[in-house]
Amino acid sequence: MINKDKICALNMRIDELQIIAEILEDLRNDPSRDPVDLCREKEIDFGRFLRYAGDLDLVKGEINTIEDLGLHRAYYVLKRAGINTISELAQLTVSDIIGIRNMGFISAAEIVKALAKIGITILEGPMNPEEMRRWTEVMSDRR
């Protein structure tokens, strides 16, 4: 028997991929367009665009490396982990970021906030109850 929820989810993913293809086509036709603005126009999250579109350095304005985010301690942890571009970072979940060696919850929150400022949303990903409690606590303290 076919699950209707799975069909709906698959249709949503196909629709998203069609929108992403349209955005990529728009960028090929007019490279001066801002991909963040195109995502807003097409009502798709820029982080999702980067995750589906692959390793692109098409980020708002001149911001395309982690140096451009203005991070503090988190910057050095990301560099040691071999993460150099925002497109690499945007493909991770919060759970992935927290799992990076020497990455704490406060540094992970710094990254999430910096990406949010340029229109990129990071998904939480699977966390155990203690990680979820700590993450919720850190994020509520940083608002």
Side-chain angles (χ1 to χ4, degrees):
M1 188 162 115
I2 297 175
N3 184 330
K4 289 182 182 179
D5 291 336
K6 286 184 181 180
I7 292 172
C8 289
L10 181 59
N11 285 336
M12 284 176 39
R13 187 163 293 144
I14 290 169
D15 291 343
E16 277 186 336
L17 291 173
Q18 288 172 332
I19 293 169
I20 289 167
E22 289 172 16
I23 292 170
L24 290 171
E25 184 65 27
D26 290 346
L27 289 171
R28 273 191 282 282
N29 292 336
D30 184 1
S32 67
R33 296 286 310 266
D34 183 358
V36 174
D37 289 341
L38 284 169
C39 287
R40 283 190 190 119
E41 287 173 23
K42 305 275 187 181
E43 297 179 356
I44 188 168
D45 178 73
F46 187 62
R48 290 183 73 81
F49 168 74
L50 286 177
R51 277 189 287 282
Y52 284 120
D55 187 19
L56 300 173
D57 286 325
L58 302 169
V59 183
K60 185 176 183 180
E62 295 299 312
I63 301 172
N64 59 20
T65 65
I66 61 170
E67 288 90 354
D68 300 322
L69 291 176
L71 301 171
H72 300 289
R73 183 174 184 280
Y75 166 78
Y76 298 103
V77 176
L78 290 171
K79 287 300 269 187
R80 271 181 272 167
I83 298 168
N84 299 300
T85 66
I86 292 175
S87 59
E88 292 169 333
L89 191 54
Q91 294 178 39
L92 302 176
T93 64
V94 171
S95 182
D96 296 333
I97 293 169
I98 291 169
I100 296 172
R101 185 170 185 224
N102 294 323
M103 181 69 70
F105 286 89
I106 292 173
S107 294
E110 177 188 11
I111 292 167
V112 170
K113 299 280 183 176
L115 290 172
K117 286 180 184 176
I118 60 169
I120 299 174
T121 304
I122 298 292
L123 302 175
E124 286 183 348
M127 290 188 225
N128 67 44
E130 178 59 22
E131 288 174 331
M132 184 57 82
R133 184 194 65 73
R134 277 284 288 133
W135 179 247
T136 304
E137 181 182 296
V138 168
M139 290 304 286
S140 64
D141 288 347
R142 295 202 144 307
R143 290 186 198 259

